[in-house]
Amino acid sequence: MLLKSRSIRSLTSSFRFLSSSPSPLPIEIPLPISQSDLESLIYRQYRAGKFQHLLPSVIATPSVLAAAARRLFSRSNPSLPPSSPAALHFSVDALAEELRQGLLDTSANCSILVPSRKKGESLTLPNLKLKVVVEAVRMALEVVYKKRFATFSYGGRESIGRHTAIRYLKARLQNPTWWFRVVLRRQPFGPLHLRRLAVVLEEKIEDPALISLVKRLFDCEAIAIELGGVELGRGFPQESGLSGTILNIYFDALDREIQDIRVEIKKENPRISGFADNEETGISYVLHKPTRVYAVRYLDEILVGTSGSKLLTMDIKDRILKFSVETLELKVDSLKTSIHSAVTEKMNFLGMELQAVPPSVLHPPMSEKAIRAKKKYLKRKAAKALELKNARETRRKNLGLKILSHLFKKLKCGHEFEFGFHIEHEVREIFANWADEVVQEYFKSRENCWHWHRMFTTGDFLSLKRIRDQLPAELVESYDQFQEKVDQYMMPVQASKVIEAEERLAEEEEERKYAKRTVDDLTELKMRVNAPIQLVRRAVKLAGFTNAMGRPRPIKLLICLDDADIIKWYAGVGRRWLKFFCCCHNFKMVKTIVSYHLRFSCFLTLAEKHEVTKRQAISHFTKDLRVTDAHGLEAVHFPTEKEVKMMGDKNLSDPKPADGTLTLILVRLATNESTFPCLAHFCHQTETTLYRIRLLQNRLNVDPLDENKWVQGMGAIHESFNRKCLPLCSKHASDLLLGNICLRDIDGTSFVDV
């Protein structure tokens, strides 16, 4: 985007920080506490069944605050090894003293971002000092409650994220028949929920100062949670790092209620054992599948499935909804919280589509066409190997003939050869191995065996009795033994029997597999997880990657960026989608969208910028979108075609959706002013570049709450960030474009006003 025409001098003179006070000098921080020492410190406060005085004794400790700062540093600097920041702009010891005495003013450490629209909503953001306190509170609460959380509770916890929940659904959800999703209406985490949260905290923690601090964080809106929305677990700046832990603590009572329901159903429907139709193997041929209840909760998203009747599922749903409304004081959308068939209907959960299907759908058998193609490939492979072997033997023969010819000529001329070592033994071994290989290959053919058997047995005059009586007994006995060996190794009937036996065993194995596959399809149901391709295509079209015909198009707003920044922005969206949907069954379709729509849209944007054709752009940047960095070295940021093909369900993580990168564009300002420090946390670089934030919903003038114009289930960054200017160093600008960090890892209280 081009700025309005005015001089650089007048533009740079209008820059100023929102905070009037100058930045203090960096202050060294103490040594952070380790995770094991933190747990020991917290458990030492456990007395009389409760954790007492956590705020003054644990959270208000310089080493704990330093550990919280280290976590924030690792999150805002993912490319660096895990370490602690060298210094802060505030004293950790002074902050610990303020917390210990209860003098920390939460409102004074927050700033309000005013939106660019007159009717827009403002957003309250904490500064880095208050973020360190919030992270320390989160660390303490996580240690207190992590062993209390239910096993089906995911999100807001380390190493227990979306992919772990999907793995649980694939492995544990057996033969579901009915399921429902508890859909909450959009509602803020208000005073009623806060009072309920205080009661829950008091059951486990006896520390009025800590509970009062949590209330003050909600009162000043440093922590703001919207239940039933799509902003949780996505890394948006309007979400606090403590939100996930607060939700897990608040929903723990509902998790216990669901667990009680599961235990009751399991006791009423025990697994019957002791049936063995086959006494030798102990295998039971009775198909017994007791009724079970399954549940998964990711923050405020809840999925409950049963393998029983629909009436049982309705009773469970009514019990869960009653507990949610009366005890947790939640507003539930009864219309959307409806029971669906797990077999015939798809369920949208965690941004993916779930459905129960037979095992053959997930692992289909090879078709006749595929089998023929495989046999054809193996035949070509064998012919190629035989051709290479023959060529190797021919070269070996020609080389040997050349050597012998050369030696013969030298000997004829009277030359004598003296060898310092003898190789007769090695030569014999080589020729013996060659001979064994030739014999083995020769006797693998039934035609060769038939030919030699006919040669050895045709015209046998020693089979006549009058001839055998006239010969020595040793000769006759040796001849009979020879004929037995001939019949044993070269009898075509024996070879045919062996081959027929192998073919029969292969057919029986195939029939057994077919029977097992048929029984499994009739008796078992597996969980299929698919990416919502239609929603992804809508997001691609909404962001401007494709036109109305579904073909790639350039995004002209990115033309003002450098070539590397353009490629990094496309790579950030593509990698986020690939990491998020790598656990899906139809991951190949997502890879096609990334490889085709995003890649060629990037080529068209670069071609539009340099006023060249698409072919010239592809020729210059190559299909891997290689770009030269500041040091003159070639770098590849966009996933290469080989990387995209090799991606899959290899590791478990808690990936952030592509919403935070897809709906955000950084427009570089046309100025050489570089005196502003980088706004990323714990970054003291002053050589920065100014970027303006442009949000997708403001560019399109679309309300993200309108599902008809917006993509269903896709979140959006708060509108108060639109058109804000922020200075970033090259490293953090690259991380933000690539999606490695988000706006939550940037000091939103010190934006540059233009």
Side-chain angles (χ1 to χ4, degrees), residues 132-180:
V132 172
V133 176
V134 170
E135 182 64 21
V137 173
R138 187 200 66 80
M139 292 166 54
L141 293 179
E142 183 182 8
V143 173
V144 172
Y145 284 94
K146 70 177 181 179
K147 294 183 179 180
R148 180 180 175 85
F149 293 145
T151 56
F152 54 84
S153 171
Y154 299 91
R157 304 163 64 185
E158 292 184 1
S159 303
I160 304 180
R162 295 178 186 265
H163 284 178
T164 314
I166 294 299
R167 184 182 66 170
Y168 172 80
L169 288 171
K170 290 180 178 180
R172 299 297 181 183
L173 203 59
Q174 299 178 357
N175 303 307
T177 53
W178 304 96
W179 55 17
F180 63 91

Side-chain angles (χ1 to χ4, degrees), residues 414-431:
H415 292 279
E416 294 183 0
F417 297 95
E418 295 182 0
F419 298 96
F421 57 93
H422 300 281
I423 59 172
E424 291 83 357
H425 181 68
E426 288 78 2
V427 171
R428 289 194 184 94
E429 288 186 355
I430 293 173
F431 277 94

Side-chain angles (χ1 to χ4, degrees), residues 409-416:
K409 290 180 180 179
K410 291 293 184 181
L411 289 173
K412 286 177 64 178
C413 295
H415 292 279
E416 294 183 0

Side-chain angles (χ1 to χ4, degrees), residues 535-547:
L535 296 181
V536 174
R537 288 174 178 169
R538 282 189 59 189
V540 167
K541 183 178 179 181
L542 184 69
F545 293 114
T546 59
N547 54 19

Side-chain angles (χ1 to χ4, degrees), residues 127-229:
N127 59 11
L128 182 57
K129 180 179 178 180
L130 191 57
K131 284 184 179 181
V132 172
V133 176
V134 170
E135 182 64 21
V137 173
R138 187 200 66 80
M139 292 166 54
L141 293 179
E142 183 182 8
V143 173
V144 172
Y145 284 94
K146 70 177 181 179
K147 294 183 179 180
R148 180 180 175 85
F149 293 145
T151 56
F152 54 84
S153 171
Y154 299 91
R157 304 163 64 185
E158 292 184 1
S159 303
I160 304 180
R162 295 178 186 265
H163 284 178
T164 314
I166 294 299
R167 184 182 66 170
Y168 172 80
L169 288 171
K170 290 180 178 180
R172 299 297 181 183
L173 203 59
Q174 299 178 357
N175 303 307
T177 53
W178 304 96
W179 55 17
F180 63 91
R181 187 167 62 95
V182 181
V183 180
L184 304 178
R185 294 181 180 176
R186 284 182 174 267
Q187 54 186 313
F189 197 86
L192 294 177
H193 308 100
L194 191 56
R195 284 197 295 269
R196 167 70 186 173
L197 176 64
V199 173
V200 174
L201 291 175
E202 289 173 353
E203 294 177 357
K204 198 74 175 175
I205 301 173
E206 187 177 346
D207 190 354
L210 176 59
I211 298 175
S212 175
L213 175 62
V214 174
K215 289 182 178 179
R216 283 185 284 132
L217 290 174
F218 275 96
D219 292 338
C220 69
E221 297 183 356
I223 301 177
I225 302 175
E226 185 183 17
L227 299 172

Side-chain angles (χ1 to χ4, degrees), residues 462-568:
L462 288 180
S463 60
L464 300 176
K465 188 176 183 302
R466 64 178 182 273
I467 302 298
R468 295 169 62 92
D469 294 340
Q470 300 177 11
L471 295 176
E474 293 82 359
L475 177 60
V476 174
E477 185 179 355
S478 300
Y479 174 76
D480 293 339
Q481 292 178 359
F482 173 74
Q483 288 298 326
E484 290 178 2
K485 295 297 182 181
V486 169
D487 294 339
Q488 179 181 355
Y489 290 103
M490 298 184 180
M491 190 69 173
V493 178
Q494 298 293 338
S496 300
K497 288 182 179 180
V498 173
I499 295 175
E500 290 176 0
E502 293 177 354
E503 292 178 353
R504 185 172 63 256
L505 291 176
E507 291 178 359
E508 291 177 356
E509 182 68 18
E510 186 66 26
E511 291 177 358
R512 188 187 64 80
K513 290 182 179 179
Y514 177 77
K516 184 179 182 302
R517 187 166 58 245
T518 304
V519 173
D520 291 344
D521 286 347
L522 295 174
T523 58
E524 292 187 10
L525 291 173
K526 298 292 185 179
M527 188 58 55
R528 181 181 66 183
V529 181
N530 276 351
I533 296 299
Q534 297 299 329
L535 296 181
V536 174
R537 288 174 178 169
R538 282 189 59 189
V540 167
K541 183 178 179 181
L542 184 69
F545 293 114
T546 59
N547 54 19
M549 300 295 293
R551 297 176 180 176
R553 61 176 293 271
I555 299 179
K556 297 185 178 180
L557 190 63
L558 298 172
I559 293 178
C560 59
L561 296 178
D562 294 338
D563 295 343
D565 291 344
I566 294 174
I567 296 174
K568 288 177 183 177

Side-chain angles (χ1 to χ4, degrees), residues 350-370:
L350 299 181
M352 304 173 191
E353 294 179 351
L354 310 179
Q355 189 177 9
V357 296
S360 61
V361 177
L362 295 178
H363 306 286
M366 294 181 65
S367 61
E368 295 294 335
K369 184 178 180 180

